[in-house]
Amino acid sequence: MIEITFLGAGGGRFVTITQVRSTGGFFIKASKNIFVDPGPGALVRMIRYKLDPRKIDVLFISHRHTDHCNDAEVIVEGMTYGVTKKRGTLIGSRSVVYGDEDHTPALSKYHLEALEEVHAPNPGDRFRLGNEEMIITPSQHSDPTTIGFRLKTSLGDISYIADTEYFPELVSWHDGSRVLIASVTRPRDMKIPYHLSTDDIVYMLKAMKQRPEVLVMTHLGMKMHFAGPYKEAQYIQNVTGVKTYVAKEGFRVTIDKEIKVKTLRPARFV
Ligand SMILES: [Zn+2]
């Protein structure tokens, strides 16, 4: 059984600074625990949903934009038991690990050195993570080093399409995945450069030989928020036949023979 727990599904500057939808990425519990794109609030929401940052084995960060990497350092502090134990693996874009012309690296030298392994891979590179294998996939985003992944598991593949605009090769990299998590920032008829819209997702799904069993929409921008993501999800489902969900804080997908979803209740705080 594999569990994916979302800590939020907000994306873009305006949703992030207003928190009309939570940001924070998602946690995959497979034979290793993989945390993906720790945006603002990731640590706090992990605790709220009883996920222990000390149990994260692999931190994956698609690119060096704040809504994806803000909590990276504090998550590494969790992974390394407060930097007392060299532990864990970071798989991040080149901009995350080395910085780019606009940004310093997403983590200080202190935090990078606390990890056991640090990788800044290229599309096509593969990592053995316990019983699973992660294949790095390409993106076309304003951070040109952005990466996604396809995680091969005994229960089918889980794909993550990080921030990207549509390009034809996206289809072959993710064709046949059982669960597709995609950053669908914009609603129908509201395309912008470097991001996917509802129309792009429909186009991509229609082009696949084997469509996913489940699509989870995440990284919802302000225009998507106002257009109504559940309406967009229903539209995608109607025209492609792919069961489509909208992620949110506490949304959990359980993958076994069947795929089930539920929304967890947050733990109470004192
Ligand atoms: Zn971005």
Side-chain angles (χ1 to χ4, degrees):
M1 189 179 79
I2 294 175
E3 267 176 11
I4 308 172
T5 309
F6 290 82
L7 284 319
R13 284 167 292 168
F14 301 108
V15 168
T16 301
I17 60 174
T18 57
Q19 291 289 300
V20 290
R21 282 176 191 275
S22 308
T23 50
F26 56 96
F27 183 92
I28 304 176
K29 187 169 171 235
S31 65
K32 296 280 181 187
N33 291 324
I34 305 168
F35 195 88
V36 181
D37 278 354
L43 176 69
V44 171
R45 293 191 180 103
M46 281 195 79
I47 305 297
R48 189 180 286 168
Y49 292 94
K50 298 183 183 142
L51 300 170
D52 187 345
R54 289 170 294 194
K55 300 221 166 100
I56 299 171
D57 302 301
V58 179
L59 176 60
F60 177 93
I61 308 179
S62 63
H63 66 296
R64 175 65 175 94
H65 286 161
T66 314
D67 48 345
H68 297 259
C69 69
N70 186 73
D71 277 15
E73 289 183 342
V74 78
I75 293 286
V76 168
E77 292 192 15
M79 291 166 77
T80 58
Y81 291 71
V83 197
T84 61
K85 210 170 158 187
K86 212 170 167 70
R87 195 186 159 265
T89 297
L90 170 69
I91 300 174
S93 66
R94 293 188 63 77
S95 54
V96 163
V97 175
Y98 302 114
D100 59 24
E101 65 248 33
D102 297 324
H103 302 92
T104 56
L107 302 95
S108 71
K109 192 164 167 263
Y110 169 75
H111 292 94
L112 289 170
E113 286 178 355
L115 291 153
E116 221 173 346
E117 288 180 37
V118 175
H119 301 278
N122 294 310
D125 288 352
R126 287 164 181 257
F127 295 93
R128 170 58 53 189
L129 306 175
N131 299 334
E132 289 79 39
E133 187 184 32
M134 179 182 274
I135 304 171
I136 303 303
T137 61
S139 280
Q140 289 186 1
H141 189 45
S142 46
D143 174 346
T145 68
T146 303
I147 48 175
F149 63 78
R150 180 169 179 149
L151 189 69
K152 301 194 82 63
T153 87
S154 60
L155 293 164
D157 295 0
I158 300 163
S159 269
Y160 174 47
I161 299 183
D163 279 2
T164 183
E165 60 187 24
Y166 179 78
F167 58 103
E169 293 77 30
L170 260 188
V171 174
S172 47
W173 282 98
H174 298 287
D175 199 341
S177 270
R178 189 172 177 209
V179 175
L180 174 59
I181 301 162
S183 305
V184 193
T185 309
R186 285 291 186 117
R188 272 169 280 178
D189 304 322
M190 284 196 169
K191 235 171 149 53
I192 38 160
Y194 301 125
H195 292 280
L196 292 175
S197 69
T198 299
D199 298 315
D200 294 320
I201 282 289
V202 166
Y203 190 80
M204 185 185 77
L205 291 172
K206 283 186 169 172
M208 284 182 170
K209 284 195 200 92
Q210 196 190 332
R211 296 178 191 176
E213 198 174 319
V214 162
L215 167 70
V216 183
M217 295 164 62
T218 188
H219 201 275
L220 315 172
M222 198 56 108
K223 291 250 169 19
M224 176 63 96
H225 174 68
F226 284 118
Y230 293 95
K231 214 169 66 189
E232 297 297 293
Q234 189 62 55
Y235 169 76
I236 296 170
Q237 190 169 310
N238 289 349
V239 297
T240 65
V242 175
K243 185 81 194 151
T244 302
Y245 295 103
V246 179
K248 63 189 265 196
E249 186 182 320
F251 183 73
R252 176 172 285 173
V253 181
T254 305
I255 306 166
D256 214 327
K257 260 190 197 152
E258 274 180 69
I259 296 176
K260 292 187 179 148
V261 303
K262 66 175 174 185
T263 301
L264 307 175
R265 283 212 192 160
R268 280 171 187 266
F269 278 97
V270 282

